[in-house]
Amino acid sequence: MSSSRIQDWSKNQLLVYLSTKIQNKFELGQVEIDLFHGGVISNLIIYDHHHDTLLYAAKVNVNFKKDLSSLFKNELSISDVILDQGVFKIISYQGEEYNSLN
């Protein structure tokens, strides 16, 4: 299996996973996965329920505690997540009980 096919498969798996966890719209740029160490996501944007930016990061580094082969056992351990050029915006909208994070 070629490296680009692995990257495409990894990005698709990440999109499926995030779409089950995040109810709001989101966008991803490029996804690069190292099966043994972690991965890098470029240009991650998560929108709030008013379609304003909730989270933006030019680059997200994810480091695994265990290698990605643990996914075959439905396990994934992440040791840390590092945002580069990140913006996290919590807004309280007038007339709404909860803020943009809820």
Side-chain angles (χ1 to χ4, degrees):
M1 186 181 287
S2 73
S3 178
S4 65
R5 287 182 61 190
I6 292 171
Q7 299 301 324
D8 289 344
W9 178 85
S10 300
K11 183 175 181 177
N12 288 335
Q13 292 302 307
L14 182 60
L15 287 169
V16 168
Y17 174 78
L18 288 176
S19 66
T20 64
K21 299 295 181 189
I22 300 173
Q23 296 176 357
N24 297 340
K25 181 182 171 194
F26 64 92
E27 297 176 12
L28 299 174
Q30 188 174 8
V31 176
E32 297 176 22
I33 301 290
D34 177 322
L35 294 174
F36 300 102
H37 300 104
V40 177
I41 301 168
S42 65
N43 298 317
L44 171 65
I45 305 172
I46 301 174
Y47 298 96
D48 69 11
H49 61 291
H50 285 271
H51 308 287
D52 196 358
T53 301
L54 177 63
L55 173 73
Y56 168 78
K59 190 163 117 179
V60 180
N61 292 296
V62 179
N63 295 313
F64 301 141
K65 282 186 182 176
K66 299 178 182 179
D67 65 42
L68 198 58
S69 66
S70 63
L71 277 180
F72 296 113
K73 301 175 198 165
N74 290 326
E75 301 171 355
L76 180 60
S77 295
I78 296 174
S79 61
D80 55 21
V81 175
I82 301 166
L83 303 180
D84 185 20
Q85 298 178 28
V87 175
F88 189 60
K89 209 165 57 168
I90 300 174
I91 300 171
S92 294
Y93 291 104
Q94 189 171 1
E96 293 187 12
E97 184 178 356
Y98 299 105
N99 62 36
S100 60
L101 191 58
N102 298 87

